[in-house]
């Protein structure tokens, strides 16, 4: 057997991880006459991998805590502000930080450090339900199974803006709002769709990166 990791016991009773490289020896007629087996000790590699996991877990934990603290500080400033415009800006900023914190939380809890499960990620980015007192119902359809880490933060911000817009403008007279989220994988692309029962609008890039549509663009 090759390409597998196993444990071996030394004569003193200590154990060590190794990779086996068995090689059969055959004569001119092709008959098996013997074999050579080499065991490669990978103790140092396993130790390095363990240290790396501990480092990444600690890093993710600190980032998560810092985002949570930042979110709390912005919310506190929003509550204490006497300016309506300032409260609106701080509220938007807090919600965006909250979306990033939700994405970071999913990354932190995943064992695989290269990506996350798409369905878990989309559900974690559901900030509309917490941000508004209105009755918001989400219908989530996720076909993409896996998301790479490098696209999670932009996707979290885009989802946050679209859900916020839908929760603000897509509700009926009674305050009830239904939102459909679809994330599909098509060849090498991800297709995200967010829709509601609202009146709709023409999406135009405002040119201001701080605005919702500007951030999405």
């Amino acid at each position: 057997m090759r390409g597998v990791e196993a444990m071996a016991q030394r004569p003193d009773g200590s154990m060590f991880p190794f990779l086996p490289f068995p090689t059969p020896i055959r004569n001119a007629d092709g008959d098996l006459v013997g074999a050579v087996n080499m065991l490669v000790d990978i103790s140092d590699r396993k130790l390095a991998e363990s240290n790396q996991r501990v480092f990444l877990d600690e890093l993710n934990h600190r980032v998560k805590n810092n985002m949570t603290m930042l979110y709390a500080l912005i919310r506190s400033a929003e509550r204490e502000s006497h300016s309506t415009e300032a409260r609106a800006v701080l509220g938007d900023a807090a919600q965006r930080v909250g979306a990033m914190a939700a994405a970071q939380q999913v990354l932190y809890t995943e064992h695989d450090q290269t990506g996350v499960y798409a369905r878990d990620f989309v559900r974690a980015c559901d900030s509309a339900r917490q941000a508004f007192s209105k009755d918001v119902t989400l219908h989530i359809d996720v076909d993409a199974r896996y998301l790479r880490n490098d696209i999670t933060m932009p996707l979290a911000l885009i989802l946050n803006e679209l859900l916020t817009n839908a929760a603000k403008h897509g509700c009926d007279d009674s305050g009830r709002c239904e939102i459909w989220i679809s994330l599909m994988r098509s060849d090498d692309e991800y297709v995200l769709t967010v829709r509601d029962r609202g009146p709709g609008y023409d999406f135009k890039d405002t040119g201001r990166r701080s605005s919702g549509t500007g951030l999405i663009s």
Side-chain angles (χ1 to χ4, degrees):
M1 294 177 62
R2 288 191 178 192
V4 297
E5 296 181 6
M7 298 293 294
Q9 186 177 38
R10 297 186 179 93
D12 62 2
S14 61
M15 305 291 290
F16 70 96
F18 71 92
L19 287 175
F21 289 92
T23 302
I25 300 175
R26 302 182 183 276
N27 59 21
D29 296 326
D31 298 326
L32 182 66
V33 296
V36 175
N37 191 22
M38 178 173 63
L39 308 183
V40 179
D41 189 338
I42 56 173
S43 299
D44 291 341
R45 194 194 78 181
K46 300 296 287 185
L47 178 61
E49 291 175 352
S50 177
N51 290 338
Q52 184 183 44
R53 282 194 297 271
V54 171
F55 171 76
L56 287 174
D57 287 345
E58 176 66 18
L59 179 63
N60 284 327
H61 184 67
R62 293 194 180 197
V63 170
K64 179 177 70 72
N65 286 347
N66 288 340
M67 281 190 171
T68 302
M69 183 180 297
L70 178 60
Y71 176 82
L73 288 172
I74 297 176
R75 283 300 187 192
S76 177
E78 178 192 4
R79 289 191 298 269
E80 296 176 3
S81 176
H82 298 292
S83 168
T84 302
E85 183 179 355
R87 285 198 299 270
V89 172
L90 289 170
D92 288 343
Q95 199 162 322
R96 289 166 183 172
V97 171
M100 296 175 66
Q104 176 65 27
Q105 175 67 21
V106 178
L107 293 175
Y108 173 65
T109 55
E110 288 287 343
H111 296 293
D112 188 348
Q113 303 294 341
T114 63
V116 298
Y117 286 105
R119 179 171 292 275
D120 295 341
F121 176 81
V122 172
R123 291 189 181 278
C125 293
D126 168 19
S127 60
R129 199 190 307 273
Q130 293 80 18
F132 300 95
S133 59
K134 300 172 183 177
D135 183 9
V136 177
T137 301
L138 287 182
H139 305 278
I140 299 176
D141 182 17
V142 179
D143 177 62
R145 184 174 180 270
Y146 212 58
L147 296 173
R148 300 190 315 274
N149 283 352
D150 58 341
I151 69 172
T152 53
M153 284 301 175
L155 183 60
L157 290 171
I158 291 171
L159 264 175
N160 173 71
E161 298 299 327
L162 295 175
L163 289 174
T164 300
N165 184 73
K168 282 182 177 179
H169 307 293
C171 297
D172 58 23
D173 295 337
S174 64
R176 295 179 180 176
C177 183
E178 280 192 285
I179 305 174
W180 288 264
I181 303 173
S182 171
L183 182 61
M184 301 295 171
R185 184 69 186 268
S186 176
D187 296 329
D188 294 331
E189 293 183 334
Y190 294 97
V191 180
L192 172 67
T193 304
V194 177
R195 62 185 180 90
D196 55 58
R197 295 186 185 276
Y201 69 104
D202 292 329
F203 180 86
K204 294 181 180 179
D205 184 4
T206 62
R208 293 170 52 242
R209 297 187 65 182
S210 61
S211 69
T213 54
L215 188 146
I216 292 171
S217 296

